[in-house]
């Protein structure tokens, strides 16, 4: 039997508990891979009561989770009690969320779990508690370093219709321009290609590389960055034997016919990548962190405090994240 997936609790006051419960209740209908939640059983049971759901829980070890999954939602305790109510994070929120992430990574590293799947966190809540990372992606890279040099994390948003990677991630547009370099584009692309081969089973991934400026700079009349930064990166990638083309005008890259010509769109900044995928695949897009020594996926949405505990949360993206994590783990085993 394959190792289960380690699912983090995310922000306890958000919709993470709601979509976790909804996914487990549909496990047979959807033939979901076994997973366990790292968190507080009492808090999860209280959320089930709020939602009017009948759910059996089993507080187990990671090693016992797969056997329990069919009859009960396995919960592995982290030692952190969450008291936050739906939509109202409190002083327990940050500790509970971070302990869950740390334990999930440790479980994968020790072979107890096959992949990490993360529920949404509230970064503003974590920042108030002293969290110093821009987001999940960067924190996971630090955990992967084990005190050494952190790997370069690459954020991919994946769906059956479109996969995108922003070269610069959670920074302002001004900072994105400062960070963007030929070397960064090349290193990001190499990680994308390596992991799409190893974890997605693609023999020769095709990359479409977006230009930074409108019309990819219009031969320099709208900015020289595409000539001086982006184009040299593409030439290096081609010399590596990577199927990369561009710089392409970003406004014509994402219609249905264009999407059929590549496996991943490499974009220069956050919104250039995330606007198209959230338009095309809002319900089933999955956040995947490439470049780590373990597999990590996540729903592509936030904590949605306004609907937490209401029964309105859609579990589709979490279900897609669980399925993709299991697929990637099987491909890389």
């Amino acid at each position: 039997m394959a190792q289960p997936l380690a699912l983090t609790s995310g922000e306890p006051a958000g919709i993470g508990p709601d979509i976790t419960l909804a996914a487990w209740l549909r496990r047979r209908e959807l033939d979901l891979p076994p997973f366990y939640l790292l968190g507080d059983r009492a808090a999860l049971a209280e959320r089930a009561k709020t939602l009017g759901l009948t759910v059996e829980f089993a507080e187990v070890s990671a090693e016992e989770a797969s056997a329990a999954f069919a009859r009960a939602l396995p919960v592995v305790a982290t030692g952190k009690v969450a008291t936050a109510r739906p939509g109202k994070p409190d002083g327990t929120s940050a500790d509970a969320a971070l302990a869950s992430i740390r334990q999930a990574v440790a479980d994968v590293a020790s072979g107890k779990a096959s992949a990490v799947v993360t529920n949404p966190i509230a970064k503003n809540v974590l920042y108030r508690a002293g969290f110093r990372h821009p987001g999940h992606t960067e924190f996971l890279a630090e955990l992967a370093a084990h005190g050494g040099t952190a790997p370069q994390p690459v954020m991919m948003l994946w769906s059956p219709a479109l996969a995108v990677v922003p070269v610069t991630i959670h920074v302002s547009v001004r900072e994105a321009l400062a960070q963007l370099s030929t070397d960064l584009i090349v290193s990001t692309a190499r990680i994308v290609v390596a992991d799409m081969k190893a974890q997605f089973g693609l023999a020769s991934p095709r990359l479409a590389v977006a230009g930074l400026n409108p019309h990819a700079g219009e031969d320099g009349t709208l900015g020289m960055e595409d000539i001086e930064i982006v184009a040299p990166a593409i030439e290096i990638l081609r010399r590596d034997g990577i199927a990369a083309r561009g710089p392409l005008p970003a406004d014509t890259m994402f219609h249905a016919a264009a999407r059929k010509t590549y496996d991943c769109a490499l974009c220069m900044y956050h919104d250039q990548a995330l606007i198209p995928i959230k338009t095309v695949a809002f319900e089933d897009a999955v956040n995947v962190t490439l470049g780590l020594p373990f597999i990590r996926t996540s729903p592509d949405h936030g904590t949605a405090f306004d609907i937490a505990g209401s029964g309105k949360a859609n579990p589709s993206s979490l279900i897609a994240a669980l399925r993709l994590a299991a697929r990637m783990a099987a491909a890389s085993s």
Side-chain angles (χ1 to χ4, degrees):
M1 180 182 294
Q3 298 299 90
L5 305 170
L7 175 62
T8 71
S9 61
E11 164 55 56
I15 62 170
D18 304 36
I19 59 179
T20 297
L21 294 165
W24 182 81
L25 286 170
R26 296 180 66 186
R27 67 198 181 283
R28 293 193 182 94
E29 168 198 348
L30 300 175
D31 192 26
L32 291 184
F35 64 85
Y36 61 89
L37 183 80
L38 284 151
D40 179 10
R41 175 182 175 176
L44 200 60
E46 182 64 27
R47 184 64 63 89
K49 182 178 178 181
T50 298
L51 293 167
L53 301 176
T54 301
V55 179
E56 186 74 24
F57 298 97
E59 191 160 314
V60 297
S61 66
E63 294 88 344
E64 298 167 327
S66 290
F69 184 75
R71 63 173 178 81
L73 173 51
V75 181
V76 175
T78 62
K80 297 294 183 181
V81 175
T83 61
R85 305 289 297 170
K88 298 178 180 179
D90 66 18
T92 68
S93 288
D95 281 350
L98 294 176
S100 184
I101 297 167
R102 289 189 182 99
Q103 188 59 51
V105 172
D107 284 356
V108 174
S110 65
K112 297 175 183 176
S114 60
V116 174
V117 181
T118 58
N119 265 310
I121 56 173
K123 286 180 280 190
N124 61 328
V125 173
L126 298 183
Y127 294 154
R128 290 198 295 269
F131 188 70
R132 57 184 178 79
H133 300 279
H136 250 136
T137 303
E138 297 82 1
F139 182 46
L140 289 164
E142 181 182 270
L143 293 176
H146 302 294
T149 302
Q152 179 188 340
V154 171
M155 185 173 80
M156 170 186 279
L157 280 296
W158 180 93
S159 76
L162 175 64
V164 297
V165 166
V167 173
T168 60
I169 310 178
H170 297 115
V171 294
S172 69
V173 174
R174 185 184 299 275
E175 180 60 23
L177 289 172
Q179 287 185 9
L180 191 67
S181 68
T182 297
D183 287 346
L184 182 60
I185 296 169
V186 169
S187 63
T188 301
R190 286 172 173 162
I191 290 168
V192 172
V193 169
D195 280 4
M196 291 193 85
K197 287 179 178 179
Q199 299 173 356
F200 288 80
L202 296 177
S204 182
R206 300 165 299 166
L207 301 184
V209 182
L212 172 68
N213 296 303
H215 305 170
E218 199 76 72
D219 292 326
T221 61
L222 297 178
M224 293 299 294
E225 291 87 355
D226 293 297
I227 292 173
E228 296 176 348
I229 297 174
V230 184
I234 295 168
E235 288 306 311
I236 292 169
L237 294 171
R238 287 173 176 164
R239 289 199 299 268
D240 284 353
I242 291 172
R245 59 190 180 90
L248 301 172
D251 61 352
T252 58
M253 282 179 57
F254 298 106
H255 61 83
R259 296 197 305 269
K260 293 177 182 178
T261 66
Y262 57 84
D263 299 302
C264 181
L266 199 67
C267 302
M268 297 302 107
Y269 56 94
H270 182 278
D271 283 10
Q272 191 182 55
L274 272 69
I275 288 173
I277 195 164
K278 289 193 175 185
T279 301
V280 170
F282 187 79
E283 299 294 350
D284 59 357
V286 178
N287 188 335
V288 184
T289 305
L290 307 178
L292 300 176
F294 53 84
I295 292 162
R296 179 263 179 155
T297 68
S298 179
D300 182 28
H301 56 68
T303 53
F305 285 133
D306 57 324
I307 61 170
S310 70
K312 297 178 181 178
N314 186 340
S316 296
S317 188
L318 174 60
I319 289 167
L322 291 164
R323 284 179 156 164
L324 182 60
R327 169 185 157 186
M328 292 170 68
S332 60
S333 63

